[in-house]
Amino acid sequence: MTVQTQMQRTIASAQSVEACLMQFSIETQNQQAKQMFQQLAQQQKNIINLLEGRYHQILEEKQ
């Protein structure tokens, strides 16, 4: 498996985690838990942005 493929899979997995966290925040009635899930989802989005940046670097290096 190439690094490019591994990065694509990692990004997809990270996006899945973000979606789950957002779903948890929507479904919970506990305001403290809702806020925690929203904060975790935002942190996950930041991670995704970093991964996507690295992925684009990899693509540029291949050209």
Side-chain angles (χ1 to χ4, degrees):
M1 183 180 322
T2 66
V3 171
Q4 183 179 345
T5 302
Q6 288 175 327
M7 286 296 295
Q8 288 172 329
R9 288 185 179 187
T10 301
I11 291 167
S13 294
Q15 290 169 332
S16 177
V17 169
E18 180 193 11
C20 288
L21 291 167
M22 287 304 299
Q23 189 63 39
F24 292 153
S25 76
I26 291 167
E27 292 176 357
T28 187
Q29 299 302 313
N30 181 308
Q31 290 303 310
Q32 188 175 8
K34 184 180 290 286
Q35 183 178 10
M36 179 193 69
F37 287 129
Q38 289 171 344
Q39 289 173 345
L40 290 171
Q42 182 58 50
Q43 289 175 6
Q44 189 67 16
K45 182 64 178 169
N46 294 340
I47 292 167
I48 292 165
N49 289 338
L50 292 170
L51 290 170
E52 287 174 337
R54 178 60 186 140
Y55 177 72
H56 290 297
Q57 286 177 340
I58 290 169
L59 292 178
E60 288 176 11
E61 290 171 2
K62 290 188 83 169
Q63 293 178 355

